[in-house]
Amino acid sequence: MKIEKCAVLGAGQMGGGIIQVFVTAGFETDVWVRSEASEERAVKKMEKYFGKQVEKGRMTEDEKVACLSRINYIRNLEDIKDADLVVEACAENMELKADIFRTLDENVKPEAILATNTSSLPITKIAAVTNRAEQVIGMHFMNPVPVMKLVEIIRGLETSDEVYAAVEEMSRVIGKTPVEVNDFPGFVSNRVLQVMINEAIFCLYEGIAEPKAVDTVMMLGMNHPMGPLALADLIGLDTVLAILEVLYDGYQDPKYRPCPLLKQYVDAGRLGRKVGRGFYEYE
Ligand code: CAA
């Protein structure tokens, strides 16, 4: 299975980063955005990112122009037809993903691999809405995508060895380190990470320490590059809550119970960096 052409669905925090690594590695990439406004935002984001690469001396102006020219914006999902690998990076909503995968299955060439960047929804369930479950796989990138080395590759129940091997190879080609895991709630990354973040929120909720203190303990004491509360703000508190709910529902185990303070922050719209306010305030 040779991957030459890619498609990325969504150009938000994660999709945007995935586009950047694909086109930097030389892949022609169709990018599906739903509205004119999101296309404009994506165009600006890409110009800014590749402009910075030039400023930092990582690429020439010509290479930047070449990267940008590899992006082909598409507004109609049905028009994604000839990609070898499609990576969906849309909202974490099972119904939405099911609709998208049904449409992909009907329109993208039969041999194509359909991947999802979901951080916690079951790959097996997404695959089951298609007629090519053996070609559906999880390709879970970490935020910020251009910087983080990991791609957690999640095999659904039916994912074939050939498809796994092709996605593993592709991850290496784009400069990442693939790690294979099976399809259970939260996979490995979020099963471990979100419990730590939730526990940090409980420390705040129970008045054990202020946000800065919690984060400093983890940064200076455990050598984490950023504290769990700052990381929750980076990921988005709505996403953190959604993942904890998947874990809680999936395992029916109280250790995944989302902290009430997290729910309250989400209700208040304090969703983290993307809105300028979460556990911390941002400009
Ligand atoms: N996009 C692209 N590059 C970015 C970036 C972004 N959003 N944010 C930072 N960077 C780059 C910077 O440009 C800089 O690059 P250079 O060294 O080439 O100049 C580099 O990252 C380091 O940035 P800074 O010096 O500004 O800051 P830092 O040293 O504190 O690093 C960090 C920032 C990389 C975000 C670091 O704090 C870190 O690794 N944090 C932990 C991130 C993490 O755990 N991510 C996983 C989240 S979980 C997830 O994604 C999956 C899920 O399912 C929820």
Side-chain angles (χ1 to χ4, degrees), residues 56 58 119 140 142-144 147-148 190 193 225-226 231 235:
K56 287 179 182 171
R58 299 235 169 88
S119 31
H140 186 206
M142 302 293 131
N143 185 13
V147 183
M148 304 301 279
N190 278 315
L193 173 66
M226 69 204 301
L231 182 54
I235 295 169

Side-chain angles (χ1 to χ4, degrees), residues 204-271:
L204 181 62
Y205 178 59
E206 292 170 10
I208 296 171
E210 291 299 310
K212 190 111 192 5
V214 174
D215 280 352
T216 304
V217 167
M218 298 306 288
M219 287 166 73
L220 301 188
M222 284 69 179
N223 234 1
H224 289 195
M226 69 204 301
L229 298 175
L231 182 54
D233 278 355
L234 177 73
I235 295 169
L237 302 196
D238 48 344
T239 304
V240 170
L241 178 59
I243 299 170
L244 280 164
E245 280 169 345
V246 167
L247 286 165
Y248 191 48
D249 288 349
Y251 290 109
Q252 300 279 302
D253 186 329
K255 75 178 169 185
Y256 301 112
R257 176 176 73 104
C259 179
L261 185 64
L262 172 63
K263 287 188 172 168
Q264 194 182 37
Y265 273 42
V266 172
D267 286 344
R270 282 204 198 186
L271 304 182

Side-chain angles (χ1 to χ4, degrees), residues 102-124:
R102 256 183 235 112
T103 307
L104 289 174
D105 190 37
E106 282 163 14
N107 293 282
V108 188
K109 63 183 182 185
E111 63 274 27
I113 298 173
L114 307 181
T116 170
N117 178 59
T118 180
S119 31
S120 61
L121 296 173
I123 310 304
T124 307

